[in-house]
Amino acid sequence: MQTQSLWEHTLTFFPQFLATLRERVAPDATVAVIGASDGRLVLPLAAAGYRVVAIERDALALHGGNVRLPGDSEAHATGLIDRLKLEELHARVQVIEEDFLEGGPLDVPCEAVWTSCSWHYSANHHRPLAEFVDRMQRLVRPGGVFGAEFMMPVERRHHLVEHYTSPERLRHHFPGDWDVLLTLRTNEFTERPHVGQLHDHTHRMGLLLAARSSASTHRL
């Protein structure tokens, strides 16, 4: 990519999700990305040939603006919409600028859905984690794929918030017509400073990939 995301160098399980897409859905399938941010994972999906529905409510992530960087400096960040134009990928991506939890039913059934560390943000704690997961599941057509990477508890305060979860707890949200394909977790690791977190900090991450039964009844 000619333009870099603000999150370019943060750890991700996205390669595992992309490999699962290649195994299970058509090359031009539609993939919804919840919490699309500035397109760190949207642009690679579009470049790989998928049609993408990018759902994001943060105006700076979508339209760009000035951000504070580690070292107490500022820079202009390019937003998702301009990055798509610069990479000539805008025709493959539908951008929906709204709160995923507050909007009405999303009429965008997809072959796959993905989110990267979005539900642990405090702005999403006003609704139960089960609601976030359920809304994602409802977007997936029968035979489709669900993918989420998420923050696991590290500090004591995290254990009081269900949105910092684990693969084992998350499994309980996938009964019946769902088949959990893969779960992974990291040990605690130190991440270098980045936008929004200007000092070294400790994370622990998990991954869950699931497939919806091809015989299931779609619920929108």
Side-chain angles (χ1 to χ4, degrees):
M1 299 295 170
Q2 298 174 11
T3 63
Q4 277 206 339
S5 164
L6 292 173
W7 314 103
E8 198 73 32
H9 302 295
T10 55
L11 186 147
T12 180
F13 287 115
F14 180 72
Q16 285 84 354
F17 175 68
L18 189 57
T20 302
L21 291 186
R22 289 170 175 158
E23 292 174 1
R24 290 183 168 266
V25 304
D28 62 346
T30 299
V31 182
V33 178
I34 313 304
S37 189
D38 66 357
R40 176 197 180 198
L41 306 177
V42 170
L43 272 68
L45 285 169
Y50 298 101
R51 295 186 297 272
V52 184
V53 178
I55 303 172
E56 176 59 62
R57 69 177 181 179
D58 184 78
L60 189 145
L62 291 173
H63 304 288
N66 291 331
V67 295
R68 186 181 174 200
L69 300 175
D72 202 27
S73 61
E74 286 193 358
H76 178 81
T78 305
L80 170 61
I81 292 172
D82 284 340
R83 291 190 69 213
L84 289 170
K85 292 176 181 176
L86 288 168
E87 303 290 348
E88 299 184 348
L89 294 169
H90 54 284
R92 302 200 64 83
V93 179
Q94 175 189 0
V95 177
I96 298 178
E97 187 171 359
E98 69 175 47
D99 186 323
F100 179 63
L101 291 174
E102 294 293 347
L106 291 168
D107 188 18
V108 287
C110 304
E111 281 73 39
V113 64
W114 169 258
T115 196
S116 175
C117 300
S118 56
W119 63 50
H120 81 277
Y121 285 109
S122 58
N124 292 320
H125 293 180
H126 63 294
R127 297 285 186 84
L129 175 59
E131 182 175 342
F132 198 114
V133 174
D134 179 69
R135 285 178 70 85
M136 284 183 62
Q137 290 172 332
R138 288 173 178 268
L139 298 182
V140 181
R141 290 190 175 107
V145 173
F146 175 107
E149 60 185 6
F150 45 90
M151 294 299 179
M152 298 177 61
V154 174
E155 302 176 20
R156 179 177 296 179
R157 63 185 176 87
H158 296 159
H159 290 275
L160 303 177
V161 181
E162 64 167 347
H163 299 72
Y164 289 85
T165 187
S166 69
E168 291 78 16
R169 291 199 295 271
L170 201 57
R171 271 182 175 270
H172 297 302
H173 298 285
F174 292 84
D177 59 354
W178 289 95
D179 178 26
V180 174
L181 303 173
L182 176 67
T183 62
L184 294 173
R185 67 175 68 222
T186 69
N187 294 322
E188 291 186 11
F189 64 94
T190 299
E191 190 165 76
R192 300 299 302 275
H194 56 71
V195 172
Q197 187 61 270
L198 302 179
H199 305 282
D200 285 356
H201 49 286
T202 301
H203 282 319
R204 192 175 177 217
M205 289 175 59
L207 168 76
L208 185 142
L209 300 178
R212 191 172 191 179
S213 168
S214 58
S216 61
T217 301
H218 190 60
R219 302 169 298 149
L220 263 183

